[in-house]
mmCIF file of all heavy atoms in Angstrom:
data_model
loop_
_atom_site.group_PDB
_atom_site.id
_atom_site.type_symbol
_atom_site.label_atom_id
_atom_site.label_comp_id
_atom_site.label_asym_id
_atom_site.label_seq_id
_atom_site.Cartn_x
_atom_site.Cartn_y
_atom_site.Cartn_z
ATOM 1 N N GLU C 395 20.005 22.868 27.236
ATOM 2 C CA GLU C 395 21.275 22.794 28.054
ATOM 3 C C GLU C 395 21.331 21.521 28.769
ATOM 4 O O GLU C 395 22.476 20.938 28.816
ATOM 5 C CB GLU C 395 21.372 24.046 28.941
ATOM 6 C CG GLU C 395 21.510 25.340 28.128
ATOM 7 C CD GLU C 395 21.700 26.450 29.068
ATOM 8 O OE1 GLU C 395 21.724 26.279 30.391
ATOM 9 O OE2 GLU C 395 21.854 27.681 28.726
ATOM 10 N N ASN C 396 20.246 21.040 29.448
ATOM 11 C CA ASN C 396 20.431 19.881 30.324
ATOM 12 C C ASN C 396 19.406 18.775 29.952
ATOM 13 O O ASN C 396 19.628 17.594 30.155
ATOM 14 C CB ASN C 396 20.348 20.197 31.740
ATOM 15 C CG ASN C 396 19.234 21.141 32.080
ATOM 16 O OD1 ASN C 396 18.229 21.190 31.332
ATOM 17 N ND2 ASN C 396 19.311 21.995 33.139
ATOM 18 N N ARG C 397 18.109 19.119 29.534
ATOM 19 C CA ARG C 397 17.147 18.169 29.232
ATOM 20 C C ARG C 397 16.458 18.604 27.956
ATOM 21 O O ARG C 397 16.335 19.734 27.635
ATOM 22 C CB ARG C 397 16.127 18.086 30.322
ATOM 23 C CG ARG C 397 16.705 17.574 31.694
ATOM 24 C CD ARG C 397 15.587 17.470 32.641
ATOM 25 N NE ARG C 397 14.625 16.377 32.400
ATOM 26 C CZ ARG C 397 13.656 16.128 33.170
ATOM 27 N NH1 ARG C 397 13.349 16.843 34.213
ATOM 28 N NH2 ARG C 397 12.808 15.061 32.816
ATOM 29 N N PRO C 398 16.022 17.583 27.163
ATOM 30 C CA PRO C 398 15.237 17.866 25.916
ATOM 31 C C PRO C 398 13.968 18.554 26.234
ATOM 32 O O PRO C 398 13.287 18.319 27.381
ATOM 33 C CB PRO C 398 15.070 16.487 25.177
ATOM 34 C CG PRO C 398 15.098 15.570 26.360
ATOM 35 C CD PRO C 398 16.126 16.126 27.377
ATOM 36 N N ARG C 399 13.449 19.392 25.337
ATOM 37 C CA ARG C 399 12.295 20.039 25.508
ATOM 38 C C ARG C 399 11.213 19.544 24.464
ATOM 39 O O ARG C 399 11.542 19.365 23.317
ATOM 40 C CB ARG C 399 12.311 21.627 25.306
ATOM 41 C CG ARG C 399 13.254 22.201 26.279
ATOM 42 C CD ARG C 399 13.364 23.705 26.027
ATOM 43 N NE ARG C 399 14.180 24.343 27.172
ATOM 44 C CZ ARG C 399 14.423 25.638 27.147
ATOM 45 N NH1 ARG C 399 13.894 26.426 26.307
ATOM 46 N NH2 ARG C 399 15.221 26.136 28.155
ATOM 47 N N HIS C 400 10.071 19.152 24.913
ATOM 48 C CA HIS C 400 9.061 18.621 23.982
ATOM 49 C C HIS C 400 8.203 19.843 23.399
ATOM 50 O O HIS C 400 7.928 20.745 24.052
ATOM 51 C CB HIS C 400 8.155 17.690 24.744
ATOM 52 C CG HIS C 400 7.039 17.166 23.925
ATOM 53 N ND1 HIS C 400 5.727 17.705 23.910
ATOM 54 C CD2 HIS C 400 7.010 16.154 23.099
ATOM 55 C CE1 HIS C 400 4.989 16.969 23.109
ATOM 56 N NE2 HIS C 400 5.704 15.976 22.553
ATOM 57 N N THR C 401 7.901 19.619 22.154
ATOM 58 C CA THR C 401 6.993 20.578 21.534
ATOM 59 C C THR C 401 5.922 19.864 20.714
ATOM 60 O O THR C 401 6.255 18.803 20.067
ATOM 61 C CB THR C 401 7.650 21.556 20.569
ATOM 62 O OG1 THR C 401 6.782 22.328 19.872
ATOM 63 C CG2 THR C 401 8.656 20.792 19.500
ATOM 64 N N MET C 402 4.755 20.363 20.771
ATOM 65 C CA MET C 402 3.600 19.826 19.918
ATOM 66 C C MET C 402 3.561 20.351 18.504
ATOM 67 O O MET C 402 2.712 20.023 17.759
ATOM 68 C CB MET C 402 2.282 20.108 20.682
ATOM 69 C CG MET C 402 2.130 19.291 21.971
ATOM 70 S SD MET C 402 0.479 19.550 22.645
ATOM 71 C CE MET C 402 0.862 20.469 24.070
ATOM 72 N N GLY C 403 4.571 21.366 18.308
ATOM 73 C CA GLY C 403 4.456 22.063 16.974
ATOM 74 C C GLY C 403 5.453 21.610 15.999
ATOM 75 O O GLY C 403 5.712 22.485 15.100
ATOM 76 N N MET C 404 6.124 20.500 16.145
ATOM 77 C CA MET C 404 7.089 20.082 15.087
ATOM 78 C C MET C 404 6.850 18.629 14.755
ATOM 79 O O MET C 404 6.907 17.635 15.530
ATOM 80 C CB MET C 404 8.591 20.164 15.734
ATOM 81 C CG MET C 404 8.883 21.608 16.113
ATOM 82 S SD MET C 404 10.578 21.672 16.980
ATOM 83 C CE MET C 404 11.596 21.080 15.568
ATOM 84 N N ALA C 405 6.581 18.425 13.412
ATOM 85 C CA ALA C 405 6.129 17.119 12.831
ATOM 86 C C ALA C 405 7.179 16.607 11.838
ATOM 87 O O ALA C 405 7.650 17.500 11.147
ATOM 88 C CB ALA C 405 4.773 17.037 12.293
ATOM 89 N N GLU C 406 7.632 15.418 11.953
ATOM 90 C CA GLU C 406 8.565 14.898 10.956
ATOM 91 C C GLU C 406 7.907 13.865 10.084
ATOM 92 O O GLU C 406 7.217 12.977 10.570
ATOM 93 C CB GLU C 406 9.770 14.360 11.673
ATOM 94 C CG GLU C 406 10.567 15.354 12.343
ATOM 95 C CD GLU C 406 11.722 14.757 13.181
ATOM 96 O OE1 GLU C 406 11.776 13.488 13.353
ATOM 97 O OE2 GLU C 406 12.575 15.493 13.636
ATOM 98 N N PHE C 407 8.071 13.982 8.743
ATOM 99 C CA PHE C 407 7.444 13.036 7.796
ATOM 100 C C PHE C 407 7.913 11.580 7.952
ATOM 101 O O PHE C 407 7.132 10.675 7.751
ATOM 102 C CB PHE C 407 7.682 13.489 6.390
ATOM 103 C CG PHE C 407 7.063 14.832 6.028
ATOM 104 C CD1 PHE C 407 7.794 15.824 5.487
ATOM 105 C CD2 PHE C 407 5.658 15.131 6.349
ATOM 106 C CE1 PHE C 407 7.149 17.019 5.201
ATOM 107 C CE2 PHE C 407 5.038 16.237 6.028
ATOM 108 C CZ PHE C 407 5.872 17.287 5.533
ATOM 109 N N ALA C 408 9.182 11.330 8.415
ATOM 110 C CA ALA C 408 9.679 10.051 8.533
ATOM 111 C C ALA C 408 8.831 9.282 9.635
ATOM 112 O O ALA C 408 8.438 8.096 9.480
ATOM 113 C CB ALA C 408 11.141 10.042 8.917
ATOM 114 N N GLY C 409 8.577 9.959 10.779
ATOM 115 C CA GLY C 409 7.773 9.380 11.781
ATOM 116 C C GLY C 409 6.321 9.200 11.403
ATOM 117 O O GLY C 409 5.738 8.213 11.739
#
Side-chain angles (χ1 to χ4, degrees):
E395 293 180 2
N396 47 26
R397 295 182 69 182
R399 296 181 181 180
H400 177 262
T401 172
M402 293 186 245
M404 300 176 65
E406 296 179 344
F407 295 127

